[in-house]
Amino acid sequence: MTVAEPAELSPEQQDRRRRLIDAAFELGAEGGYDAVQMRDVSITANVALATIYRYFASKDDLLAAAMTEWTGRLRGRVAQSPPRGATAADQIVDVLHRACRAMERQPKLSEALVRALSSADEGVRASGADVRSHIASMGDGILADLDPQVRADILAVLGHVWYSTLVSWANGRRDFSTVMTELERAARLLITPYEREAKRARQERGARKDAKA
């Protein structure tokens, strides 16, 4: 069965798809990855089991879509409450810490979402791209002073570090404090040199403007 793209769905179908994602959130929060069974999702969402597969090819596809929803909500919260910090590196670290703290509060759900996102399932790829896009969009404004390609490269690398550390956490090889430490180290290492260069360039432009005045 071909899975329908979200943009192709009617409002009623969009609502049904949202109920399935909410059910995955609920079951994952209660019992983790193994608790998210399609039959239980069907019951919780009040959607026929056969109908689920019109929206999601597999359990991992469903959970990866839930991860996309989760990062989208995080992006909305960041937009409402701007990142704190005196420098771009500080602000990126604040955003990453917010994400980690939110996941730490619901460890069973977070583990389920990360496990699904690391699946080789074909349906997971699009969700993975959406998750990376959400994360990158939270950093675009913070790094606005940097060259667009440099900004894109930094956010791509941070996305990879974030993903790899979360996979290690989900597999029991790290705790969340280590995840946050690794993310902060990567953010400062990547951003600070470019931020200093951008600041120096602004100062030089200002000095030239003053000299011409």
Side-chain angles (χ1 to χ4, degrees):
M1 179 182 295
T2 301
V3 175
E5 294 294 328
E8 301 172 350
L9 301 178
S10 68
E12 181 181 356
Q13 291 170 324
Q14 290 277 8
D15 177 69
R16 192 175 296 126
R17 184 178 187 274
R18 175 59 60 87
R19 295 207 312 272
L20 292 169
I21 290 175
D22 287 344
F25 276 130
E26 180 180 337
L27 294 168
E30 290 175 357
Y33 182 84
D34 292 335
V36 184
Q37 301 297 325
M38 291 304 224
R39 187 171 299 279
D40 293 329
V41 170
S42 167
I43 294 169
T44 303
N46 193 28
V47 175
L49 181 59
T51 303
I52 295 179
Y53 294 98
R54 298 178 186 171
Y55 303 93
F56 304 103
S58 65
K59 163 182 166 173
D60 285 336
D61 188 13
L62 169 59
L63 282 169
M67 182 62 157
T68 301
E69 177 72 18
W70 185 88
T71 53
R73 292 177 186 178
L74 176 64
R75 181 178 62 177
R77 291 195 296 272
V78 168
Q80 292 176 351
S81 178
R84 295 178 294 273
T87 67
D90 290 339
Q91 292 174 26
I92 288 289
V93 167
D94 181 61
V95 169
L96 294 171
H97 280 195
R98 285 196 215 180
C100 286
R101 286 193 295 268
M103 297 187 81
E104 191 175 21
R105 284 193 291 269
Q106 292 188 303
K108 292 181 179 179
L109 173 61
S110 299
E111 184 264 346
L113 299 179
V114 173
R115 280 185 62 180
L117 205 61
S118 63
S119 167
D121 191 302
E122 182 71 25
V124 172
R125 292 183 183 178
S127 292
D130 288 340
V131 167
R132 289 190 294 273
S133 175
H134 288 165
I135 295 170
S137 70
M138 287 185 276
D140 274 338
I142 297 172
L143 302 179
D145 285 346
L146 302 187
D147 175 83
Q149 187 57 58
V150 170
R151 181 168 67 242
D153 290 344
I154 287 173
L155 293 172
V157 173
L158 280 177
H160 287 305
V161 174
W162 184 77
Y163 173 72
S164 65
T165 54
L166 284 180
V167 170
S168 294
W169 166 78
N171 291 330
R173 297 198 298 269
R174 301 172 187 259
D175 57 24
F176 252 112
S177 63
T178 305
V179 170
M180 286 191 279
T181 298
E182 289 295 311
L183 283 170
E184 179 168 354
R185 180 168 66 174
R188 295 195 185 282
L189 182 66
L190 289 166
I191 297 168
T192 301
Y194 288 105
E195 188 172 20
R196 287 174 180 164
E197 183 180 330
K199 181 179 180 181
R200 186 164 50 248
R202 288 196 301 271
Q203 290 172 339
E204 289 175 355
R205 287 195 298 270
R208 287 195 297 269
K209 185 181 294 184
D210 291 341
K212 292 178 180 178

